[in-house]
Amino acid sequence: MGTSFQDLVGSEPWLSELQSAAPLVDRALESLADSLSEDGALSSEEKGVVVASIAATKGDLDGCRHWVESRCGDFAEWRMLAALLFLSRGSMPAKTLLTATGNIEESEPRAPTPAKPDPVEMEEYFRGVFGQLPVRVTLLQNHAPDALETYFLLRQGTLAGSSLDPMLAQLVLVGVNAADRQEDFTFEHGLGAVKEGASEAHLVEAGVCSMLYGGLASWTAAAAAITRVLSDSDNHTF
């Protein structure tokens, strides 16, 4: 048996009440703790990064801080991870994560802002990612080009050659999207993770990380997305 459920998520009164519901519930929670704390295809620290990210997207500052401080090992790319969460879920998860890590109080010189991206470069990038231009790209391309730049630059800055490990970045978004039961985007980032070398086991473990905050329904969404990734039967036009 690995880490206890209370050690894993932090000792709070409501946890004792939940575990006291029935012996089978208590055992189920301990089994989940084992899943999230033991090394597998993902290390326990990588699982910690995924769960801390999900906690941030759910607005659980205390839970996020607990995972950051006790379950993420030597991981240090918190600012880039916050940018990844901004890409996926906007400003509040980024704020929650940076507050939890303490980085919100630090200040470092900002690097020079790069020049505006070339429209042809953006179109080629999105065609390379999706195989074609999905509607969510063409609508911005036609009516809100500055917002398209935001989308392009955030994707490039966080998923393409940043200081974040690209496979871990994709797996974080597998977990985040599964926790919100967003099957299509879980599928998309599952595909991205496979392109970066992820195995079936990596995808499953990232999906399991969603269960703490998303319940078993999140795993249902993850399993459906993983099945699509492995069969690669979707035309990827969503």
Side-chain angles (χ1 to χ4, degrees):
M1 185 181 298
T3 303
S4 73
F5 187 72
Q6 288 216 14
D7 287 342
L8 188 74
V9 303
S11 181
E12 297 183 30
W14 70 269
L15 291 178
S16 295
E17 295 295 328
L18 182 61
Q19 290 177 297
S20 299
L24 289 179
V25 173
D26 190 17
R27 180 61 258 172
L29 297 176
E30 295 302 325
S31 296
L32 179 58
D34 291 344
S35 295
L36 298 180
S37 63
E38 295 175 354
D39 290 334
L42 288 172
S43 69
S44 61
E45 290 80 10
E46 289 170 327
K47 293 177 182 178
V49 171
V50 177
V51 178
S53 300
I54 296 170
T57 67
K58 298 297 187 180
D60 183 4
L61 177 59
D62 290 339
C64 183
R65 182 179 289 119
H66 174 77
W67 281 85
V68 165
E69 292 177 351
S70 65
R71 296 293 162 188
C72 295
D74 295 329
F75 182 83
E77 297 298 332
W78 297 113
R79 287 187 175 87
M80 189 58 70
L81 185 62
L84 182 72
L85 296 185
F86 188 98
L87 165 69
S88 180
R89 291 296 185 275
S91 62
M92 290 308 296
K95 178 181 178 181
T96 300
L97 182 67
L98 292 176
T99 302
T101 63
N103 283 331
I104 201 168
E105 298 178 357
E106 300 176 15
S107 62
E108 295 180 0
R110 290 172 55 187
T113 302
K116 290 173 73 68
D118 179 70
V120 174
E121 176 190 3
M122 290 193 290
E123 182 168 328
E124 289 177 350
Y125 170 78
F126 285 118
R127 287 188 185 278
V129 170
F130 300 118
Q132 57 184 301
L133 294 183
V135 172
R136 67 178 185 270
V137 170
T138 58
L139 286 172
L140 295 178
Q141 190 178 44
N142 294 334
H143 303 291
D146 288 339
L148 180 62
E149 288 183 16
T150 300
Y151 184 20
F152 166 73
L153 292 170
L154 282 173
R155 273 199 67 105
Q156 268 215 326
T158 59
L159 292 173
S162 75
S163 54
L164 274 179
D165 175 79
M167 185 177 77
L168 180 59
Q170 296 283 0
L171 291 171
V172 164
L173 294 187
V174 168
V176 162
N177 282 287
D180 280 346
R181 298 181 291 283
Q182 295 290 328
E183 182 186 326
D184 281 345
F185 288 106
T186 304
F187 165 69
E188 176 181 320
H189 292 292
L191 280 179
V194 169
K195 290 177 182 177
E196 298 295 344
S199 66
E200 179 178 346
H202 285 105
L203 298 176
V204 169
E205 290 177 17
V208 168
C209 286
S210 71
M211 290 169 58
L212 180 62
Y213 281 92
L216 269 295
S218 67
W219 168 245
T220 300
I226 291 167
T227 300
R228 289 167 59 189
V229 170
L230 297 177
S231 66
D232 201 19
S233 60
D234 200 286
N235 63 15
H236 206 189
T237 59
F238 55 86

Short mmCIF file of all heavy atoms in Angstrom, two decimals, residues 44-92:
data_model
loop_
_atom_site.label_atom_id
_atom_site.label_comp_id
_atom_site.label_asym_id
_atom_site.label_seq_id
_atom_site.Cartn_x
_atom_site.Cartn_y
_atom_site.Cartn_z
N SER A 44 5.55 9.69 -9.81
CA SER A 44 4.63 10.28 -8.84
C SER A 44 4.69 11.80 -8.87
O SER A 44 3.67 12.48 -8.70
CB SER A 44 4.95 9.76 -7.43
OG SER A 44 6.27 10.12 -7.04
N GLU A 45 5.89 12.36 -9.15
CA GLU A 45 6.03 13.81 -9.23
C GLU A 45 5.30 14.37 -10.44
O GLU A 45 4.66 15.44 -10.37
CB GLU A 45 7.51 14.20 -9.27
CG GLU A 45 8.27 13.97 -7.98
CD GLU A 45 8.69 12.52 -7.79
OE1 GLU A 45 8.55 11.71 -8.76
OE2 GLU A 45 9.14 12.18 -6.68
N GLU A 46 5.36 13.68 -11.58
CA GLU A 46 4.62 14.13 -12.76
C GLU A 46 3.12 14.07 -12.53
O GLU A 46 2.38 14.97 -12.94
CB GLU A 46 5.02 13.28 -13.97
CG GLU A 46 6.44 13.56 -14.46
CD GLU A 46 6.90 12.57 -15.50
OE1 GLU A 46 6.51 11.39 -15.43
OE2 GLU A 46 7.70 12.97 -16.37
N LYS A 47 2.66 13.02 -11.85
CA LYS A 47 1.25 12.96 -11.48
C LYS A 47 0.89 14.14 -10.59
O LYS A 47 -0.20 14.73 -10.71
CB LYS A 47 0.94 11.64 -10.78
CG LYS A 47 1.07 10.41 -11.68
CD LYS A 47 0.82 9.13 -10.88
CE LYS A 47 1.00 7.90 -11.74
NZ LYS A 47 0.80 6.63 -10.97
N GLY A 48 1.80 14.50 -9.68
CA GLY A 48 1.56 15.64 -8.81
C GLY A 48 1.39 16.93 -9.59
O GLY A 48 0.53 17.76 -9.27
N VAL A 49 2.19 17.10 -10.64
CA VAL A 49 2.07 18.30 -11.49
C VAL A 49 0.72 18.32 -12.18
O VAL A 49 0.06 19.38 -12.27
CB VAL A 49 3.23 18.35 -12.51
CG1 VAL A 49 3.00 19.46 -13.55
CG2 VAL A 49 4.57 18.56 -11.80
N VAL A 50 0.27 17.18 -12.67
CA VAL A 50 -1.04 17.11 -13.33
C VAL A 50 -2.15 17.45 -12.34
O VAL A 50 -3.03 18.28 -12.63
CB VAL A 50 -1.28 15.72 -13.95
CG1 VAL A 50 -2.68 15.64 -14.56
CG2 VAL A 50 -0.23 15.40 -15.01
N VAL A 51 -2.11 16.85 -11.14
CA VAL A 51 -3.18 17.10 -10.17
C VAL A 51 -3.13 18.54 -9.67
O VAL A 51 -4.18 19.18 -9.49
CB VAL A 51 -3.11 16.10 -9.00
CG1 VAL A 51 -4.20 16.42 -7.97
CG2 VAL A 51 -3.28 14.68 -9.50
N ALA A 52 -1.95 19.10 -9.43
CA ALA A 52 -1.84 20.49 -9.01
C ALA A 52 -2.45 21.41 -10.07
O ALA A 52 -3.12 22.41 -9.74
CB ALA A 52 -0.38 20.87 -8.76
N SER A 53 -2.24 21.08 -11.33
CA SER A 53 -2.82 21.88 -12.41
C SER A 53 -4.34 21.80 -12.40
O SER A 53 -5.03 22.81 -12.59
CB SER A 53 -2.27 21.39 -13.76
OG SER A 53 -0.87 21.51 -13.83
N ILE A 54 -4.86 20.60 -12.19
CA ILE A 54 -6.32 20.45 -12.12
C ILE A 54 -6.87 21.21 -10.92
O ILE A 54 -7.91 21.89 -11.02
CB ILE A 54 -6.68 18.96 -12.05
CG1 ILE A 54 -6.25 18.24 -13.33
CG2 ILE A 54 -8.18 18.79 -11.82
CD1 ILE A 54 -6.35 16.73 -13.26
N ALA A 55 -6.20 21.13 -9.78
CA ALA A 55 -6.64 21.87 -8.60
C ALA A 55 -6.71 23.36 -8.90
O ALA A 55 -7.66 24.05 -8.48
CB ALA A 55 -5.70 21.61 -7.43
N ALA A 56 -5.72 23.87 -9.64
CA ALA A 56 -5.73 25.30 -9.99
C ALA A 56 -6.92 25.63 -10.88
O ALA A 56 -7.56 26.67 -10.70
CB ALA A 56 -4.42 25.67 -10.69
N THR A 57 -7.23 24.75 -11.82
CA THR A 57 -8.36 25.04 -12.72
C THR A 57 -9.69 24.99 -11.97
O THR A 57 -10.66 25.62 -12.40
CB THR A 57 -8.41 24.06 -13.91
OG1 THR A 57 -8.72 22.74 -13.45
CG2 THR A 57 -7.10 24.06 -14.68
N LYS A 58 -9.72 24.26 -10.86
CA LYS A 58 -10.94 24.18 -10.06
C LYS A 58 -11.00 25.27 -8.99
O LYS A 58 -11.97 25.34 -8.22
CB LYS A 58 -11.04 22.80 -9.39
CG LYS A 58 -11.14 21.63 -10.36
CD LYS A 58 -12.40 21.71 -11.22
CE LYS A 58 -12.57 20.46 -12.07
NZ LYS A 58 -13.79 20.51 -12.90
N GLY A 59 -9.97 26.11 -8.92
CA GLY A 59 -9.96 27.20 -7.95
C GLY A 59 -9.65 26.78 -6.53
O GLY A 59 -9.91 27.54 -5.59
N ASP A 60 -9.08 25.60 -6.35
CA ASP A 60 -8.76 25.09 -5.02
C ASP A 60 -7.34 25.52 -4.65
O ASP A 60 -6.38 24.78 -4.85
CB ASP A 60 -8.90 23.57 -4.99
CG ASP A 60 -8.66 22.99 -3.59
OD1 ASP A 60 -8.46 23.78 -2.64
OD2 ASP A 60 -8.64 21.75 -3.47
N LEU A 61 -7.20 26.73 -4.10
CA LEU A 61 -5.88 27.26 -3.79
C LEU A 61 -5.16 26.42 -2.75
O LEU A 61 -3.98 26.09 -2.92
CB LEU A 61 -6.01 28.71 -3.30
CG LEU A 61 -4.70 29.39 -2.86
CD1 LEU A 61 -3.68 29.42 -3.98
CD2 LEU A 61 -4.99 30.80 -2.35
N ASP A 62 -5.86 26.05 -1.68
CA ASP A 62 -5.21 25.25 -0.63
C ASP A 62 -4.78 23.89 -1.16
O ASP A 62 -3.68 23.40 -0.86
CB ASP A 62 -6.14 25.08 0.57
CG ASP A 62 -6.35 26.38 1.33
OD1 ASP A 62 -5.50 27.28 1.20
OD2 ASP A 62 -7.36 26.48 2.05
N GLY A 63 -5.67 23.26 -1.93
CA GLY A 63 -5.32 21.96 -2.49
C GLY A 63 -4.17 22.07 -3.47
O GLY A 63 -3.26 21.23 -3.47
N CYS A 64 -4.19 23.09 -4.31
CA CYS A 64 -3.10 23.30 -5.26
C CYS A 64 -1.79 23.50 -4.51
O CYS A 64 -0.75 22.90 -4.86
CB CYS A 64 -3.42 24.50 -6.14
SG CYS A 64 -2.19 24.84 -7.42
N ARG A 65 -1.82 24.33 -3.47
CA ARG A 65 -0.60 24.58 -2.70
C ARG A 65 -0.08 23.29 -2.06
O ARG A 65 1.13 23.03 -2.05
CB ARG A 65 -0.86 25.64 -1.63
CG ARG A 65 0.38 26.00 -0.82
CD ARG A 65 0.08 27.08 0.20
NE ARG A 65 -0.13 28.37 -0.43
CZ ARG A 65 -1.26 29.06 -0.35
NH1 ARG A 65 -2.31 28.57 0.29
NH2 ARG A 65 -1.35 30.24 -0.93
N HIS A 66 -0.99 22.47 -1.54
CA HIS A 66 -0.58 21.21 -0.92
C HIS A 66 0.13 20.32 -1.94
O HIS A 66 1.19 19.75 -1.65
CB HIS A 66 -1.80 20.48 -0.36
CG HIS A 66 -1.49 19.11 0.17
ND1 HIS A 66 -0.88 18.90 1.39
CD2 HIS A 66 -1.68 17.87 -0.37
CE1 HIS A 66 -0.71 17.60 1.58
NE2 HIS A 66 -1.20 16.96 0.53
N TRP A 67 -0.44 20.20 -3.14
CA TRP A 67 0.18 19.36 -4.16
C TRP A 67 1.53 19.93 -4.61
O TRP A 67 2.49 19.19 -4.80
CB TRP A 67 -0.77 19.17 -5.34
CG TRP A 67 -1.82 18.15 -5.04
CD1 TRP A 67 -2.99 18.34 -4.38
CD2 TRP A 67 -1.74 16.76 -5.31
NE1 TRP A 67 -3.67 17.16 -4.24
CE2 TRP A 67 -2.92 16.16 -4.80
CE3 TRP A 67 -0.80 15.94 -5.92
CZ2 TRP A 67 -3.18 14.80 -4.90
CZ3 TRP A 67 -1.06 14.57 -6.04
CH2 TRP A 67 -2.22 14.02 -5.53
N VAL A 68 1.58 21.24 -4.77
CA VAL A 68 2.83 21.89 -5.18
C VAL A 68 3.93 21.64 -4.16
O VAL A 68 5.07 21.30 -4.52
CB VAL A 68 2.61 23.41 -5.37
CG1 VAL A 68 3.93 24.17 -5.42
CG2 VAL A 68 1.79 23.68 -6.63
N GLU A 69 3.60 21.79 -2.90
CA GLU A 69 4.62 21.72 -1.85
C GLU A 69 5.02 20.30 -1.50
O GLU A 69 6.16 20.07 -1.08
CB GLU A 69 4.11 22.43 -0.60
CG GLU A 69 3.97 23.94 -0.79
CD GLU A 69 3.39 24.63 0.43
OE1 GLU A 69 2.93 23.91 1.36
OE2 GLU A 69 3.39 25.87 0.46
N SER A 70 4.13 19.33 -1.69
CA SER A 70 4.43 17.99 -1.19
C SER A 70 4.49 16.90 -2.24
O SER A 70 4.98 15.79 -1.95
CB SER A 70 3.37 17.59 -0.14
OG SER A 70 2.09 17.47 -0.73
N ARG A 71 4.03 17.18 -3.49
CA ARG A 71 3.87 16.09 -4.44
C ARG A 71 4.50 16.33 -5.81
O ARG A 71 4.33 15.50 -6.70
CB ARG A 71 2.38 15.80 -4.64
CG ARG A 71 1.68 15.29 -3.39
CD ARG A 71 2.18 13.93 -3.00
NE ARG A 71 1.87 13.60 -1.62
CZ ARG A 71 2.33 12.53 -0.99
NH1 ARG A 71 3.14 11.69 -1.63
NH2 ARG A 71 2.02 12.30 0.26
N CYS A 72 5.20 17.43 -5.98
CA CYS A 72 5.72 17.75 -7.32
C CYS A 72 7.24 17.69 -7.41
O CYS A 72 7.82 18.09 -8.42
CB CYS A 72 5.22 19.13 -7.75
SG CYS A 72 3.44 19.19 -7.96
N GLY A 73 7.89 17.20 -6.37
CA GLY A 73 9.34 17.00 -6.42
C GLY A 73 10.10 18.27 -6.76
O GLY A 73 9.84 19.35 -6.19
N ASP A 74 11.02 18.16 -7.71
CA ASP A 74 11.88 19.28 -8.08
C ASP A 74 11.33 20.08 -9.26
O ASP A 74 12.05 20.92 -9.82
CB ASP A 74 13.28 18.76 -8.45
CG ASP A 74 13.99 18.14 -7.26
OD1 ASP A 74 13.74 18.59 -6.12
OD2 ASP A 74 14.78 17.20 -7.46
N PHE A 75 10.10 19.83 -9.65
CA PHE A 75 9.53 20.59 -10.77
C PHE A 75 9.61 22.08 -10.47
O PHE A 75 9.27 22.53 -9.37
CB PHE A 75 8.08 20.18 -10.99
CG PHE A 75 7.43 20.88 -12.16
CD1 PHE A 75 7.60 20.41 -13.44
CD2 PHE A 75 6.65 22.02 -11.97
CE1 PHE A 75 7.00 21.04 -14.53
CE2 PHE A 75 6.05 22.67 -13.04
CZ PHE A 75 6.23 22.18 -14.32
N ALA A 76 10.06 22.88 -11.46
CA ALA A 76 10.29 24.30 -11.21
C ALA A 76 9.67 25.21 -12.27
O ALA A 76 9.75 26.44 -12.13
CB ALA A 76 11.79 24.57 -11.13
N GLU A 77 9.04 24.66 -13.29
CA GLU A 77 8.56 25.49 -14.41
C GLU A 77 7.14 25.99 -14.16
O GLU A 77 6.24 25.82 -14.98
CB GLU A 77 8.64 24.70 -15.72
CG GLU A 77 10.05 24.31 -16.13
CD GLU A 77 10.94 25.53 -16.37
OE1 GLU A 77 10.39 26.58 -16.73
OE2 GLU A 77 12.16 25.41 -16.20
N TRP A 78 6.95 26.64 -13.01
CA TRP A 78 5.61 27.03 -12.62
C TRP A 78 5.05 28.15 -13.49
O TRP A 78 3.86 28.16 -13.81
CB TRP A 78 5.60 27.43 -11.15
CG TRP A 78 5.97 26.30 -10.25
CD1 TRP A 78 7.08 26.19 -9.47
CD2 TRP A 78 5.23 25.08 -10.04
NE1 TRP A 78 7.10 24.98 -8.79
CE2 TRP A 78 5.98 24.29 -9.13
CE3 TRP A 78 4.03 24.58 -10.54
CZ2 TRP A 78 5.54 23.04 -8.70
CZ3 TRP A 78 3.60 23.34 -10.12
CH2 TRP A 78 4.35 22.58 -9.21
N ARG A 79 5.89 29.10 -13.87
CA ARG A 79 5.39 30.19 -14.71
C ARG A 79 4.93 29.66 -16.08
O ARG A 79 3.89 30.08 -16.59
CB ARG A 79 6.46 31.28 -14.88
CG ARG A 79 6.69 32.12 -13.64
CD ARG A 79 7.64 33.27 -13.93
NE ARG A 79 7.78 34.14 -12.79
CZ ARG A 79 8.65 33.97 -11.81
NH1 ARG A 79 9.47 32.93 -11.83
NH2 ARG A 79 8.71 34.82 -10.79
N MET A 80 5.70 28.78 -16.65
CA MET A 80 5.31 28.24 -17.94
C MET A 80 4.07 27.35 -17.80
O MET A 80 3.20 27.35 -18.68
CB MET A 80 6.47 27.46 -18.56
CG MET A 80 6.22 27.03 -20.00
SD MET A 80 5.88 28.42 -21.12
CE MET A 80 7.50 29.19 -21.19
N LEU A 81 3.98 26.63 -16.70
CA LEU A 81 2.78 25.82 -16.47
C LEU A 81 1.57 26.74 -16.31
O LEU A 81 0.48 26.42 -16.81
CB LEU A 81 2.97 24.95 -15.22
CG LEU A 81 1.83 23.97 -14.91
CD1 LEU A 81 1.65 22.96 -16.04
CD2 LEU A 81 2.08 23.26 -13.59
N ALA A 82 1.74 27.87 -15.64
CA ALA A 82 0.64 28.83 -15.51
C ALA A 82 0.21 29.36 -16.87
O ALA A 82 -0.98 29.54 -17.13
CB ALA A 82 1.05 29.97 -14.60
N ALA A 83 1.18 29.60 -17.75
CA ALA A 83 0.84 30.04 -19.11
C ALA A 83 0.07 28.96 -19.85
O ALA A 83 -0.86 29.26 -20.61
CB ALA A 83 2.12 30.41 -19.87
N LEU A 84 0.43 27.71 -19.62
CA LEU A 84 -0.31 26.60 -20.23
C LEU A 84 -1.75 26.58 -19.74
O LEU A 84 -2.68 26.38 -20.52
CB LEU A 84 0.39 25.27 -19.90
CG LEU A 84 -0.22 24.01 -20.50
CD1 LEU A 84 0.04 23.94 -22.00
CD2 LEU A 84 0.34 22.77 -19.81
N LEU A 85 -1.94 26.80 -18.44
CA LEU A 85 -3.30 26.83 -17.90
C LEU A 85 -4.07 28.04 -18.40
O LEU A 85 -5.29 27.96 -18.60
CB LEU A 85 -3.25 26.83 -16.36
CG LEU A 85 -2.66 25.57 -15.71
CD1 LEU A 85 -2.79 25.66 -14.20
CD2 LEU A 85 -3.31 24.30 -16.24
N PHE A 86 -3.38 29.16 -18.63
CA PHE A 86 -4.04 30.32 -19.23
C PHE A 86 -4.53 29.96 -20.63
O PHE A 86 -5.65 30.32 -21.02
CB PHE A 86 -3.08 31.51 -19.28
CG PHE A 86 -3.74 32.79 -19.72
CD1 PHE A 86 -4.15 33.72 -18.79
CD2 PHE A 86 -3.96 33.06 -21.06
CE1 PHE A 86 -4.77 34.90 -19.18
CE2 PHE A 86 -4.57 34.23 -21.48
CZ PHE A 86 -4.98 35.16 -20.53
N LEU A 87 -3.69 29.28 -21.39
CA LEU A 87 -4.10 28.82 -22.72
C LEU A 87 -5.38 28.00 -22.64
O LEU A 87 -6.31 28.19 -23.44
CB LEU A 87 -2.98 27.99 -23.36
CG LEU A 87 -3.34 27.14 -24.59
CD1 LEU A 87 -3.66 28.04 -25.78
CD2 LEU A 87 -2.21 26.17 -24.92
N SER A 88 -5.44 27.10 -21.69
CA SER A 88 -6.55 26.15 -21.63
C SER A 88 -7.78 26.71 -20.92
O SER A 88 -8.91 26.47 -21.35
CB SER A 88 -6.09 24.88 -20.91
OG SER A 88 -7.13 23.93 -20.82
N ARG A 89 -7.56 27.45 -19.81
CA ARG A 89 -8.69 27.82 -18.95
C ARG A 89 -8.71 29.29 -18.54
O ARG A 89 -9.56 29.70 -17.76
CB ARG A 89 -8.70 26.95 -17.68
CG ARG A 89 -9.04 25.48 -17.91
CD ARG A 89 -10.46 25.34 -18.43
NE ARG A 89 -10.88 23.97 -18.55
CZ ARG A 89 -10.65 23.20 -19.61
NH1 ARG A 89 -9.98 23.69 -20.65
NH2 ARG A 89 -11.06 21.96 -19.66
N GLY A 90 -7.79 30.12 -19.03
CA GLY A 90 -7.85 31.54 -18.76
C GLY A 90 -7.11 31.98 -17.52
O GLY A 90 -6.26 31.26 -16.97
N SER A 91 -7.42 33.18 -17.05
CA SER A 91 -6.58 33.87 -16.07
C SER A 91 -6.67 33.30 -14.66
O SER A 91 -5.66 33.27 -13.94
CB SER A 91 -6.93 35.36 -16.04
OG SER A 91 -8.29 35.55 -15.66
N MET A 92 -7.85 32.87 -14.20
CA MET A 92 -7.98 32.48 -12.81
C MET A 92 -7.15 31.24 -12.45
O MET A 92 -6.51 31.22 -11.40
CB MET A 92 -9.45 32.27 -12.45
CG MET A 92 -10.24 33.58 -12.39
SD MET A 92 -9.45 34.85 -11.33
CE MET A 92 -9.54 34.04 -9.73
#
